[in-house]
């Protein structure tokens, strides 16, 4: 299959033991306009991921298997190597997209002379019919930080801090590959975008579109016990700062490597404690009902 200008985007989707998520979300990826081919990298799945893909019967879709699980960075690199398009759009098996997502990102890249362009990610438990309204009402900020995957900028801005589901010009991959961050892959996409910026490629975040997650899914690269996940998040963040901390400080993105790591540790600790507190309150509310007594007021 040859790809022509205006029809030269390859969608790359890494997946691992997420057949259920693919069943729910692949339809929105197949509906993307201006995507000429879809490369799904099955990273050693042991569920029925292959069967789900085969049932779709779309000529644009190719499945590339890894015999064993190698991690999301390796899966992305495999997808890039197989892609035929001049642009590569990264999808994820747990995300959904407006039909014009790729079209808008490509137009923004051309308008701003960018090599990498991303858009905010919306997490919501609302009905899908409400997502566009949520996007329209989302607050806008002049700047975003390294953790802000769900923030809409007030206008298109240049930044290396982008959500993973970005559109990347093929030329970038001559200089940049996804670095392997062990176990949960934490920081692998941020590391890639920072590499691209350091190599002189223009990275932008646009408020002109968005992608969204309607629920969480079991399986995948990132799911493990909470403590194990957080341990590797801390380790991988430190590895990321050791790789790029000097550049980030020089460009004013962080105040210092050690301070950035401490801030990250405290932030992750607050998230874990907040989650534990919510779980405990949830159990307390359910307990009276299980005993037949009145429930605790919300």
């Amino acid at each position: 299959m040859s790809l022509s200008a205006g029809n030269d985007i390859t969608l790359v989707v890494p997946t691992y033991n997420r057949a259920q998520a693919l069943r729910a979300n692949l339809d929105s990826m197949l509906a993307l306009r201006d995507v000429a081919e879809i490369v799904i990298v099955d990273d050693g799945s042991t569920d029925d991921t292959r069967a789900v893909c085969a049932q779709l019967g779309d000529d644009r879709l190719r499945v590339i298997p890894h015999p064993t699980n190698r991690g999301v960075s390796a899966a992305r690199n495999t997808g890039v190597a197989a892609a035929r398009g001049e642009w590569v759009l990264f999808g994820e098996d747990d995300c959904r997209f407006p039909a014009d997502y790729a079209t808008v990102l490509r137009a923004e890249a051309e308008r701003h002379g960018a090599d990498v362009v991303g858009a905010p990610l919306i997490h919501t438990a609302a009905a899908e019919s409400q997502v566009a309204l949520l996007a329209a009402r989302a607050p806008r900020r002049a700047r975003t930080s390294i953790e802000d995957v769900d923030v809409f900028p007030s206008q298109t801005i240049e930044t290396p801090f982008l959500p993973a589901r970005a559109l990347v010009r093929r030329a970038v991959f001559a200089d940049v590959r996804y670095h392997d961050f062990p176990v949960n892959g934490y920081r692998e996409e941020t590391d890639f975008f920072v590499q691209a910026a350091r190599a002189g490629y223009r990275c932008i975040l646009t408020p002109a579109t968005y992608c969204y997650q309607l629920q969480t899914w079991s399986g995948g690269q990132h799911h493990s016990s909470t403590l194990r996940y957080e341990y590797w998040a801390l380790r991988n963040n430190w590895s990321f700062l050791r790789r790029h901390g000097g550049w980030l400080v020089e460009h004013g993105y962080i105040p210092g490597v050690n301070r950035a790591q401490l801030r990250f540790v405290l932030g992750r600790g607050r998230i874990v404690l907040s989650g534990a507190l919510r779980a405990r309150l949830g159990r307390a509310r359910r307990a009276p009902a299980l005993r037949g007594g009145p429930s605790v007021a919300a």
Side-chain angles (χ1 to χ4, degrees):
M1 177 177 61
S2 61
L3 279 64
S4 59
N7 188 34
D8 57 357
I9 298 175
T10 297
L11 175 66
V12 170
V13 183
T15 190
Y16 173 61
N17 284 346
R18 284 276 189 89
Q20 186 177 6
L22 286 172
R23 284 192 187 94
N25 297 308
L26 258 180
D27 64 323
S28 82
M29 296 182 234
L30 293 170
L32 283 167
R33 295 195 288 270
D34 297 322
V35 169
E37 63 169 354
I38 300 169
V39 175
I40 295 180
V41 182
D42 178 7
D43 191 26
S45 295
T46 56
D47 63 3
D48 58 340
T49 289
R50 305 266 194 94
V52 171
C53 296
Q55 290 168 4
L56 294 171
D58 193 299
D59 292 338
R60 297 172 301 160
L61 192 149
R62 287 187 287 148
V63 178
I64 299 178
H66 283 173
T68 59
N69 179 245
R70 295 168 51 191
V72 66
S73 296
R76 291 188 194 277
N77 287 330
T78 293
V80 168
R84 302 185 180 111
E86 289 303 310
W87 292 85
V88 174
L89 174 63
F90 290 101
E92 294 196 350
D93 51 27
D94 57 0
C95 280
R96 297 183 65 78
F97 303 87
D100 64 351
Y101 185 77
T103 307
V104 172
L105 292 185
R106 175 67 182 275
E108 286 290 284
E110 298 293 351
R111 182 177 299 116
H112 296 279
D115 305 289
V116 183
V117 54
L121 168 68
I122 296 174
H123 293 90
T124 181
E128 187 164 18
S129 60
Q130 298 299 308
V131 173
L133 182 60
L134 292 174
R137 291 179 174 176
R140 264 61 174 170
R141 296 186 194 170
R143 296 189 62 185
T144 61
S145 73
I146 192 170
E147 307 295 345
D148 289 336
V149 298
D150 58 349
V151 169
F152 281 73
S154 53
Q155 59 185 355
T156 298
I157 60 173
E158 186 168 359
T159 176
F161 303 141
L162 305 175
R165 305 136 199 92
L167 181 69
V168 183
R169 194 187 302 270
R170 170 169 287 282
V172 174
F173 301 110
D175 299 303
V176 180
R177 285 174 55 85
Y178 281 90
H179 179 73
D180 181 28
F181 285 86
V183 181
N184 63 4
Y186 201 93
R187 287 292 183 232
E188 55 93 13
E189 67 269 11
T190 308
D191 179 270
F192 177 87
F193 300 135
V194 170
Q195 284 188 72
R198 294 187 67 176
Y201 296 104
R202 182 171 169 81
C203 305
I204 65 172
L205 177 67
T206 177
T209 188
Y210 56 86
C211 56
Y212 54 101
Q213 289 181 342
L214 297 178
Q215 65 183 89
T216 57
W217 303 90
S218 60
Q221 305 283 0
H222 304 296
H223 288 264
S224 59
S225 70
T226 299
L227 290 180
R228 185 168 186 260
Y229 181 92
E230 294 300 329
Y231 170 77
W232 281 102
L234 297 180
R235 281 195 57 167
N236 288 346
N237 189 71
W238 180 241
S239 176
F240 166 80
L241 289 172
R242 290 179 65 186
R243 283 167 56 80
H244 302 294
W247 184 87
L248 292 169
V249 171
E250 179 184 349
H251 287 77
Y253 290 118
I254 61 173
V257 172
N258 291 330
R259 287 177 63 186
Q261 180 68 2
L262 177 60
R263 183 180 296 175
F264 181 76
V265 170
L266 294 174
R268 298 303 303 184
R270 283 194 294 270
I271 291 172
V272 172
L273 289 175
S274 176
L277 180 60
R278 285 196 301 271
R280 186 171 183 177
L281 290 174
R283 289 194 296 270
R285 289 190 177 99
R286 291 193 297 271
L290 293 174
R291 294 194 298 267
S295 62
V296 178

